[in-house]
Amino acid sequence: MPQPPPVRSTPTRPSRPDASMSLLTNVMDHSLDDGYAQAAARKGSEGAAGMPRTVRAKLGLAAGLVLAALVVTVGAAQARIAAPTVAKERQELIDRIQRETAAADKLEGTVDRLRDDVSARQRAALRQDGSGDPADLVGILSGAVAVHGPGVKLVVDDAKEATTGGDGNPRETSGFSDTGRVRDRDMQRVVNGLWESGAEAIAINGQRLTALSAIRAAGDAILVDNRPLVPPYTVLAVGDGARLSTRFQNSADGLYLHALQDNYGIRTGISTEGDIRLPAAPSVIVRTAQPSTEKGTS
C-alpha cells in the first residue's frame, strides 16, 4: 500500500507588535496631556500654599458687609447733617402760611366792616327824604332794611323716601337725581307765587331776597345769592297773613306745590304768623335810572 508523502512544516515568522495597539497603550498610559498635567501640578502647589476657598469666600463676604455698613453710615451721617436745614425750611414754610392766614383773616374782617358800613350808609341815605314814607318803602322793597310784621310761614322739605336714584322722570332734567327732592325751580315758583300773592318782603332760611336775588342750583344744592341752603327750606313772607296764604294756595304756583306733595311726596306746610322778623340783605347795590335828554344815535 503506498504511503502518503511526508508533510513538510513551513517555518513561521516571529510576530511583531501591532502599531495600533501601541497607540492605545500610549493613550491609556498618558491620558492627560503633559501641559495639562503641569498646570494641574502648579495649581495644586499654589492651592496648598494659599488659603482654603471657604476662608477666602468668608473674607469677601465680610468685606462686602463692611462696605455696605460704611455706605449706610455715611448716608445716615449726611441725613443728620441735612435734618436741621430741612426742619428750618419746614418751620419757615409754616410761619409763612400762618402769616398769610392771619393777613387773609384780617382782610376778611375789613371786608365785613366795610360791608356793614356801606349797608348802614345806604339805609341812612334811604331815610334822608323829607317825607320819610317813600324812603322807608324803597328800603323795604330793596331789602336794605330789616322788617317785621304779620305774614306767612311756608316750609318745604324733601320727601321722606328721597334717595339718590330715579327712573327717567322728567324732574331729573334739572340736575337732581331724585324726583323726591326739592329743586331750584320749585323754590323759584314758590317765591314768585308769594310775590304775586302780595308779599312785601321774603326770606329763605334767613336769607333776605331782593330784586337782585337769584335762586339757582349747583349740583344737588340750592343757592340763594350764591349761598347754599339745606332742607328744610323755611320761607317767611311779610304781608297780610290770611289773605296772602289764601291767594298763594289758590294760585298756579300754590297748586304746583300741592301737586309736588301729592305726586312726589315733597312735604309742605303753610301757616299764618302774627309777627315775622326778616333781616336786612347783607349788601344791596341800589341802582336808579335817569331819563336821558340826548338824542339816540342811529
Side-chain angles (χ1 to χ4, degrees):
M1 182 175 189
Q3 296 292 328
V7 178
R8 297 178 181 181
S9 61
T10 304
T12 60
R13 296 181 183 180
S15 61
R16 292 181 302 176
D18 193 357
S20 61
M21 294 299 295
S22 300
L23 180 60
L24 290 175
T25 303
N26 185 33
V27 170
M28 294 296 295
D29 293 340
H30 303 85
S31 60
L32 187 64
D33 187 74
D34 294 339
Y36 287 106
Q38 294 176 4
R42 185 169 58 255
K43 185 174 182 182
S45 61
E46 291 178 355
M51 296 181 179
R53 293 183 180 179
T54 56
V55 176
R56 286 184 294 175
K58 292 179 179 179
L59 289 177
L61 179 60
L65 293 176
V66 170
L67 181 60
L70 181 61
V71 172
V72 173
T73 304
V74 172
Q78 292 180 349
R80 284 195 298 269
I81 294 174
T85 303
V86 174
K88 182 179 178 181
E89 293 177 353
R90 181 175 180 274
Q91 187 61 41
E92 290 178 353
L93 181 59
I94 293 175
D95 295 340
R96 182 179 178 184
I97 293 174
Q98 291 177 348
R99 288 194 302 270
E100 296 297 332
T101 302
D105 293 340
K106 185 177 179 180
L107 290 175
E108 186 175 356
T110 302
V111 170
D112 292 337
R113 288 192 299 271
L114 292 175
R115 183 181 291 113
D116 295 338
D117 182 63
V118 170
S119 299
R121 291 176 182 270
Q122 288 175 347
R123 290 191 292 269
L126 291 173
R127 293 191 180 94
Q128 287 179 357
D129 193 295
S131 60
D133 293 340
D136 292 340
L137 179 59
V138 172
I140 293 173
L141 296 179
S142 64
V145 297
V147 297
H148 72 93
V152 298
K153 177 181 178 181
L154 175 62
V155 179
V156 184
D157 197 359
D158 296 338
K160 289 184 179 180
E161 64 276 7
T163 61
T164 57
D167 47 352
N169 195 285
R171 283 174 54 81
E172 298 179 9
T173 57
S174 66
F176 287 86
S177 58
D178 188 0
T179 59
R181 300 191 62 181
V182 180
R183 302 171 306 165
D184 56 333
R185 75 176 187 183
D186 299 334
M187 297 307 300
Q188 290 172 4
R189 295 201 60 168
V190 167
V191 170
N192 290 334
L194 288 172
W195 285 124
E196 186 177 358
S197 299
E200 299 175 5
I202 300 176
I204 303 177
N205 286 11
Q207 183 70 24
R208 180 73 175 274
L209 301 182
T210 69
L212 303 177
S213 296
I215 301 176
R216 300 182 302 158
D220 287 349
I222 295 179
L223 306 181
V224 175
D225 293 336
N226 294 325
R227 295 190 178 185
L229 304 181
V230 295
Y233 306 102
T234 302
V235 183
L236 299 178
V238 174
D240 188 345
R243 183 182 178 187
L244 180 59
S245 176
T246 302
R247 293 186 62 180
F248 172 75
Q249 295 185 66
N250 293 332
S251 66
D253 298 313
L255 295 176
Y256 170 81
L257 187 61
H258 186 69
L260 293 181
Q261 182 177 5
D262 292 342
N263 297 328
Y264 305 107
I266 291 178
R267 292 169 287 177
T268 64
I270 188 170
S271 61
T272 59
E273 303 291 333
D275 188 22
I276 294 177
R277 296 183 177 272
L278 304 183
S283 180
V284 178
I285 300 176
V286 180
R287 296 184 177 92
T288 57
Q290 298 292 338
S292 177
T293 58
E294 298 179 359
K295 295 182 179 180
T297 59
S298 58

